[in-house]
Amino acid sequence: MSTPSSAPAATLADATAADAPATALADAPTAAPTTAHRDAAPSQSDAADGTAARRDALLRAGAAYVAQWIGFQHELRGVPGIQVAIRHRGELLLDEAWGVADATTSEPLTTGHLFRIASHSKTFTATAVLQLVERGTLRLDDPVSRWLPELADAEVGPVTVRELLGHQGGVIRDGVVADFWQRGLPFPDGAEILRMAAEEGRVFAPNEHFKYSNVGYSLLGLVIEAATGRTYGQYVTDEIVRPLGLDDLGPEWDADRADEYASGHTAALQAGAPRRVIPHVDTRAMAAATGWFGTARDLSAYFAAHAPGEETLLSEGSRRLLQRRESDIEYAGVLRHYGLGFDVRDLDGASLIGHSGGYPGHITRTWLDLDDDIVVSVLTNAIDGPADVLATGAVGILRLALAQLDREPGAADITGRFASMWSVADLVDLGGALAVLHPADPDPARSAEVLEVDADGTLRMPARASFGASGEPMGVERDDAGEVVSIRLSGMSMWPYDRYRYALATEQPSELLKGMAL
């Protein structure tokens, strides 16, 4: 199975991808994309019972913890930089950045730095194709040779537009020689793509296997040009980017904005090893497969335009066609799904669509939760960047927050990060529900515990079958001023995180950490 990302499958890290963030959490409503969003205002029933306000408060609490968790993951993993945006119903809830834009200059990464979002490009190309289908310009069952007569006698000539969109055309992934992925040669131009398709293109018969293909999507870019009489870049800018009013999203490397791009970096071959900067290049005729750039903020706004009820870019029928499961891909015991240009995933019952991206030095991932109209976009600037892990983990945190919707809100007066010899634990206020999450976990929501409160106010781990301390109380020690000195989970003392780190740097940590000795 090929990984749904433009980067070479053999080298892609994660796409299946005191440290202050550059900007603060968006705690006041922020301008949404220019599209009118179906659910921008609460329904009458929601407004009547306060459900909409409660959901909003829970999601803001969840987004606030996502920022804390990703900041910890950034330090833990040693990734040069991470940029994250979260939207709900089009509204920006989080827009932050951590780390550096360039490891050699230590330039701080900001939310305005541009990233190469690579195979996210396929979602734009698929959107463009469905626009043209809606207008009667293209048909999904058109053979590619109808628009590219150079392929009339080639084995790939009969492959249809729909088969290319769903990676069911059996077309070669990147070509026999694909060292352009490591800058060993330029990305192919249009003539070279046509040569590769004609001479090397067929690997399987159409619909024999799901076969991820950047060459196939490059052909779709050429089809769009032939059908519209415009360059690929002109068409998608006019028909996708401008209708959304987005300034930091585009189909190809823009040399005039070179200083705005975050540098790409090689993977770390061992912990703490230095990284090399990977210069940006033009992807030429592969732009339709991998050329796009953007910020997490603008990329999340684009994905919000694919939410249910949105018709700025496509009709509801066309969106559903892109987002339905076109292919089931099972490999190594893992079942995955792909639509037409979009990843499709079920996450614990939540319906997600999105895409990952792998470009030399940048690994990225975006998810749109169709059930709750939440977008999470995570961009990283290293080949081993954990974008998929972070984006999926963030969705889990937001859904954990929403799971508290029916819980009676309470006062959570003990929050913060605590550490012991064994672990780091966060006490998080999720809209009045106090939860224990472990920020070192790649999926902290899955192991989270929402504490129960006894009649006398004692905090207690939930009662359930467990290998842990289920049903046991959480102890709290305070000083004379009422400040929390330590907590006790599973019978072990844990101290405020900064105090614990400071103590470990001293010769006798036990003098500050009563209950632990080294």
Side-chain angles (χ1 to χ4, degrees):
M1 179 196 69
S2 295
T3 301
S5 171
S6 50
T11 61
L12 188 62
D14 83 288
T16 309
D19 196 20
T23 63
L25 180 71
D27 56 6
T30 308
T34 56
T35 58
H37 214 276
R38 178 193 62 160
D39 290 322
S43 67
Q44 290 183 353
S45 60
D46 273 356
D49 62 14
T51 299
R54 173 74 170 147
R55 289 173 64 87
D56 182 72
L58 289 170
L59 283 170
R60 289 182 184 279
Y65 183 67
V66 167
Q68 295 177 42
W69 172 63
I70 289 182
F72 188 90
Q73 288 282 316
H74 173 249
E75 286 192 340
L76 185 69
R77 294 175 178 268
V79 183
I82 302 172
Q83 192 184 85
V84 179
I86 295 175
R87 290 181 186 270
H88 177 231
R89 295 180 175 179
E91 181 183 348
L92 190 64
L93 300 185
L94 182 70
D95 185 25
E96 294 198 14
W98 296 259
V100 297
D102 188 307
T104 62
T105 66
S106 298
E107 176 190 356
L109 183 69
T110 72
T111 58
H113 274 101
L114 305 176
F115 283 72
R116 305 302 292 274
I117 56 176
S119 272
H120 283 85
S121 305
K122 295 177 176 67
T123 71
F124 296 93
T125 299
T127 299
V129 168
L130 265 292
Q131 286 179 338
L132 295 173
V133 170
E134 288 184 348
R135 297 166 189 173
T137 305
L138 287 176
R139 295 188 306 166
L140 287 176
D141 60 357
D142 280 346
V144 67
S145 59
R146 176 182 177 184
W147 298 100
L148 304 177
E150 299 91 336
L151 301 179
D153 298 324
E155 288 186 293
V156 300
V159 173
T160 67
V161 168
R162 179 171 187 153
E163 288 164 345
L164 292 177
L165 285 171
H167 299 293
Q168 287 285 355
V171 178
I172 195 167
R173 191 184 201 276
D174 293 297
V176 172
V177 178
D179 283 336
F180 43 83
W181 279 117
Q182 50 189 356
R183 302 190 75 252
L185 56 123
F187 274 83
D189 61 13
E192 178 62 8
I193 288 292
L194 291 170
R195 184 204 67 76
M196 292 163 67
E199 298 178 11
E200 310 165 1
R202 176 171 169 144
V203 178
F204 299 126
N207 301 301
E208 182 179 358
H209 293 290
F210 174 89
K211 179 166 179 53
Y212 194 82
S213 176
N214 288 313
V215 172
Y217 262 77
S218 301
L219 292 175
L220 287 172
L222 297 178
V223 167
I224 290 169
E225 293 186 342
T228 65
R230 288 182 267 178
T231 67
Y232 172 79
Q234 288 171 335
Y235 178 85
V236 293
T237 299
D238 292 343
E239 306 297 335
I240 297 177
V241 178
R242 286 179 180 155
L244 296 178
L246 301 175
D247 296 323
D248 293 327
L249 197 66
E252 184 55 278
W253 162 250
D254 185 347
D256 291 337
R257 303 183 68 177
D259 291 343
E260 299 178 52
Y261 285 80
S263 297
H265 298 85
T266 58
L269 298 181
Q270 60 188 39
R275 301 173 185 267
R276 297 288 297 271
V277 167
I278 306 173
H280 292 282
V281 294
D282 191 314
T283 60
R284 304 171 82 192
M286 275 196 166
T290 192
W292 281 71
F293 70 85
T295 61
R297 178 177 54 244
D298 275 14
L299 184 57
S300 64
Y302 158 73
F303 268 87
H306 283 279
E310 281 289 351
E311 295 193 356
T312 300
L313 298 180
L314 290 171
S315 68
E316 182 177 358
S318 292
R319 282 190 295 96
R320 287 182 175 178
L321 185 60
L322 294 179
Q323 296 168 7
R324 69 182 292 276
R325 293 180 178 180
E326 186 83 356
S327 299
D328 297 329
I329 310 103
E330 186 170 7
Y331 180 73
V334 177
L335 179 63
R336 299 177 60 185
H337 314 282
Y338 201 86
L340 298 181
F342 287 80
D343 270 340
V344 181
R345 184 180 296 186
D346 180 280
L347 181 66
D348 298 331
S351 299
L352 307 183
I353 61 127
H355 221 289
S356 59
Y359 172 88
H362 286 178
I363 300 294
T364 55
R365 161 63 80 180
T366 301
W367 286 121
L368 164 61
D369 181 339
L370 294 171
D371 299 323
D372 290 301
D373 201 346
I374 298 168
V375 183
V376 176
S377 186
V378 177
L379 315 181
T380 68
N381 60 344
I383 283 181
D384 54 355
D388 186 73
V389 169
L390 297 179
T392 306
V395 172
I397 291 168
L398 295 168
R399 293 189 63 80
L400 173 67
L402 284 178
Q404 313 311 312
L405 185 63
D406 295 330
R407 183 184 290 265
E408 188 68 25
D413 63 343
I414 305 172
T415 59
R417 178 162 291 163
F418 298 85
S420 72
M421 183 183 291
W422 284 87
S423 68
V424 178
D426 289 333
L427 297 184
V428 183
D429 181 358
L430 295 178
L434 188 62
V436 180
L437 294 99
H438 298 278
D441 286 359
D443 187 4
R446 193 170 296 278
S447 60
E449 301 271 19
V450 179
L451 296 176
E452 298 173 351
V453 185
D454 293 349
D456 64 359
T458 300
L459 295 168
R460 191 176 297 277
M461 299 291 279
R464 62 178 181 82
S466 166
F467 285 97
S470 58
E472 299 179 18
M474 184 188 82
V476 181
E477 180 186 357
R478 300 177 185 269
D479 61 19
D480 293 340
E483 296 296 321
V484 176
V485 175
S486 67
I487 63 172
R488 192 177 295 274
L489 277 178
S490 300
M492 283 192 293
S493 296
M494 302 187 77
W495 300 269
Y497 185 68
D498 289 342
R499 178 184 179 89
Y500 182 80
R501 291 183 67 174
Y502 175 80
L504 285 189
T506 66
E507 292 186 5
Q508 296 295 333
S510 60
E511 293 180 1
L512 295 172
L513 307 176
K514 305 302 182 184
M516 189 186 90
L518 291 175

